[in-house]
Amino acid sequence: MPDATPLWTSAEIVSAVGGTLSGAPFEAAGITYNSREIAPGDLFVALQGARDGHDFAAAAFAAGAAGALTNRAVEGGPCVVVEGDTLKALEALGVASRERAPHVRRGAVTGSVGKTSVTQAIKAGLDLAGPAHASIRSYNNHIGVPLTLARMPRRVERAVFEIGMNAPGEIAPLSRMVQPHAACVTTVGPVHIEAFANGEAGVAAEKASIFDGLVEGGAAVLNGDVAFAVVLDAAARRAGARPVTFGTSAGSDARLIDFRPNGQGARVKAELFGRPLDFPLAQTGFHWGMNSLCVLLMLDALDVPLETSLAALAEFRPLAGRGQTTVVHAPGGAFTLVDESYNANPLSMAAGFRSLGARPVTPGGRRIVVLSDMLELGDQSRALHEGLAGPIAEAGLDLVHTAGPEMKRLHDVLPPERRGLWRETAAELAAEAAALAGPGDVVMVKGSNGSRASLVAKALAGLGQADEGAA
C-alpha cells in the first residue's frame, strides 16, 4: 500500500526552520519553489532571487499549494513565516529531513562529466534494491541539493544526490549538508575553468571537496585514471574516508579491461575487487565503460548486491540529450540521430567522437558530427576548440558541421574534405537541418546547453518520424 504519511506537517516545518505558523495547520505532500510546477498539496517555498517568490504565492495557492514557506504573511493560504532568507529556511528543512531519517544510506555524485547520468544510473540500482530517492533532472546547486533533501520521504532506504559547481567553494557545503556514506568524482577535466585562476587543478580540488562531507569512514569513489587522481586520493584521506578507485590500471578496485559496443549497447569486461565480470550495458558511449564501474562501486558502498547493480545497468538507457538515439525516417531516407545536445566540454567531446567513430554505418552512410560552442573555457577556449580536430581525425569522422563563434575556430582548422557547414548560431544551423544529414548517415549533435545545440537536434528529429530507443 502507498505510504499515506505526509512529507511534512506544518508543525514539523515550524520546528525545522524556526518559524511561526500564520493560518491553519496543513500537511504537505511535496515541495517546490516554482509556482508553475505546483501539484495539489505541495509546499511552496518563496525564494528571493532575480524575482521575489512571494509575488507568486497567490498563483501557487490557486494551483493547489497546501501552504507556503515565506518571510512574511501572504494572502491565499497558510504560511510558515521565517525571519530573513527563505533559502536558509529551505536548507534547514533539508537538514531536518536528513536527521529524521538516519537509517537512509546516502550517496553523492560530482565530476566534470557524467554527473547526471551516473546519478540516475545509481538511482536505477537503488530502486531495484528497495525504496529510494534521488535528485531529479540536474538539481545539483545551492537550491537543488537542499530541495532534494527536503523532498526525501522519511521511509526510503537509500538516496543519491548530484552535486555540481560553477565557482570555487560551492561543493563542500552541499556535501556537508547531505553527509553521504559514499561520494564519487566521475572525472576531472577543463570544465568551468574560467572561474579558477589555476585552471584544471582548481577544478580538481573543488571536485575533491565532495569528500569533506562524508560520514566517518565513508567511501570515496574516485577515477584513478585522471591526471589529478593524487589530488582526489589525498583529499579523501584528509577527510578520513576510505578511497576506492576505478580505472584501467591493475591496482584499481574496479578495473576496466574491455568495452565493446554492439547493436544493442555494449559489453563490458572488468574486474571488481579481483572478481572477473562480463556484463551488458544499454549504452554505446565509450565513457560508459568507466561510468559503469563508478556506478558499481557506489552501489556496493550503499549495500546494493552486485547482481542487482548489474541488472540495473543492463536496463539503464541514455537520458534525453545525453546519448539518446533515434532513427529518423526522413523523406529522402532514414538516418540515425544521436542526441548529445545537453552539454559539452573537451572531455565529453572526445568521448563522443570515439563512440561515433565506432558506430556501424550502412554502405554510403557517413559519420557526421554537428557541434555548437563549448562555454566557460576562459582564455583556453580557442586552443580547446581548435584541439577538437585531433580527436575528430582519430575517430575517423567524415563530416563536421559547426555553429557559433568559438566553433568557427575548429571549422577553420579542419581539412576541406571534413569541413561541413558553419553558421553563426545554432538556430541558423537548425534552419538548414535538411542539409546536415542524408540516408544511412549516423549524426551526433553535441554542444554546451547555453549554445543551444538542442535546437539542431530537435530540427533533425523533426525531419521525419522518429523511432526511439534505436542503438
Side-chain angles (χ1 to χ4, degrees), residues 7-8 13 16-19 30-34 43-48 68-71 80-98 139 141-152 174 177:
L7 181 64
W8 291 98
I13 299 169
V17 305
I31 307 174
T32 187
Y33 63 92
N34 188 338
L43 171 71
F44 173 66
V45 182
L47 296 180
Q48 297 153 286
L69 180 56
T70 65
N71 65 12
V80 173
V81 183
V82 297
E83 293 184 6
D85 190 353
T86 49
L87 177 58
K88 295 296 183 184
L90 177 61
E91 292 172 356
L93 196 60
V95 170
S97 179
R98 184 199 72 215
Y139 276 28
N141 65 2
H142 65 292
I143 297 173
V145 172
L147 179 65
T148 302
L149 260 177
R151 285 174 167 175
M152 184 173 70
L174 298 177
M177 193 181 299

Side-chain angles (χ1 to χ4, degrees), residues 279-360:
F279 58 92
L281 290 178
Q283 307 274 349
T284 59
F286 276 89
H287 55 291
W288 268 98
M290 294 286 275
N291 280 355
S292 67
L293 300 188
C294 180
V295 170
L296 290 177
L297 288 175
M298 285 291 290
L299 290 172
D300 176 77
L302 296 174
D303 300 329
V304 175
L306 177 60
E307 293 72 19
T308 302
S309 302
L310 293 175
L313 280 173
E315 296 298 324
F316 182 73
R317 299 192 175 277
L319 304 176
R322 296 176 171 93
Q324 196 171 72
T325 304
T326 57
V327 174
V328 179
H329 297 278
F335 64 89
T336 300
L337 171 63
V338 184
D339 183 0
E340 287 270 7
S341 64
Y342 183 78
N343 218 336
N345 55 66
L347 283 180
S348 65
M349 284 285 194
F353 300 155
R354 186 182 178 201
S355 300
L356 178 58
R359 283 180 174 267

Side-chain angles (χ1 to χ4, degrees), residues 168-192:
E170 294 181 346
I171 288 179
L174 298 177
S175 181
R176 293 189 190 105
M177 193 181 299
V178 172
Q179 292 189 6
H181 299 86
C184 68
V185 178
T186 61
T187 191
V188 174
V191 184
H192 302 304

Side-chain angles (χ1 to χ4, degrees), residues 195-215:
F196 293 85
N198 54 345
E200 201 169 338
V203 173
E206 178 67 17
K207 295 298 183 184
S209 70
I210 195 172
F211 302 140
D212 291 359
L214 278 167
V215 301

Side-chain angles (χ1 to χ4, degrees), residues 388-410:
L388 297 179
I392 287 170
E394 291 168 12
L397 306 188
D398 298 300
L399 191 61
V400 183
H401 301 298
T402 52
E406 296 303 307
M407 277 298 169
K408 181 64 161 61
R409 304 180 189 281
L410 170 63

Side-chain angles (χ1 to χ4, degrees), residues 92-191:
L93 196 60
V95 170
S97 179
R98 184 199 72 215
E99 291 181 343
R100 75 180 182 181
H103 61 282
V104 176
R105 297 281 291 176
R106 298 177 300 277
V109 179
T110 196
S112 296
V113 182
K115 291 186 298 297
T116 301
S117 292
V118 166
T119 298
Q120 296 306 319
I122 292 169
K123 172 61 160 47
L126 301 185
D127 282 337
L128 285 184
H133 177 66
S135 308
I136 63 168
R137 299 197 287 275
S138 293
Y139 276 28
N140 61 20
N141 65 2
H142 65 292
I143 297 173
V145 172
L147 179 65
T148 302
L149 260 177
R151 285 174 167 175
M152 184 173 70
R154 66 192 84 196
R155 295 186 180 178
V156 299
E157 296 174 1
R158 300 173 181 86
V160 61
F161 301 83
E162 180 181 341
I163 299 180
M165 64 89 186
N166 290 301
E170 294 181 346
I171 288 179
L174 298 177
S175 181
R176 293 189 190 105
M177 193 181 299
V178 172
Q179 292 189 6
H181 299 86
C184 68
V185 178
T186 61
T187 191
V188 174
V191 184

